Amino acid sequence: MSVTRMPRETKQLLVSSIRQYLETELDKEIGELAGEQFLDYLLSELIPHIYNGAIDDARKLLEERMAAADDDLYALKKPLLNGRR
């Protein structure tokens, strides 16, 4: 996900949350611009890992579904006259 495609309202909520966290937990105040830059940095570092994990999960699910479909198709085969499938 590109940061530029994030809805402005979402980005503002995230920046606000980051700023509040830094102030509460680390006693560090940052401005709006610094908060946006920090969010952009975090996203650029985290998104590839999260995205790749989601792709791996989707591939695993697809492989499982394809295996189940293959089993279902095999079960539909008609027996041959000599008793083989």
Side-chain angles (χ1 to χ4, degrees), residues 2-62:
S2 171
V3 176
T4 57
R5 292 193 313 196
M6 180 182 294
R8 184 73 186 144
E9 300 80 24
T10 303
K11 190 169 187 175
Q12 288 173 334
L13 286 172
L14 291 171
V15 168
S16 176
S17 179
I18 288 170
R19 292 177 67 203
Q20 183 178 2
Y21 174 82
L22 291 174
E23 186 174 341
T24 302
E25 299 296 323
L26 302 177
D27 198 31
K28 174 74 174 165
E29 288 186 36
I30 63 170
E32 188 77 18
L33 180 59
E36 285 187 29
Q37 291 171 338
F38 187 55
L39 175 60
D40 290 344
Y41 168 75
L42 289 175
L43 292 174
S44 70
E45 292 292 317
L46 296 173
I47 284 176
H49 298 282
I50 295 168
Y51 180 84
N52 289 343
I55 293 295
D56 291 341
D57 291 347
R59 288 188 72 208
K60 181 179 177 186
L61 179 63
L62 185 58

Side-chain angles (χ1 to χ4, degrees), residues 58-75:
R59 288 188 72 208
K60 181 179 177 186
L61 179 63
L62 185 58
E63 287 172 1
E64 290 169 0
R65 295 234 173 126
M66 290 300 294
D70 187 52
D71 291 343
D72 291 343
L73 290 171
Y74 184 78

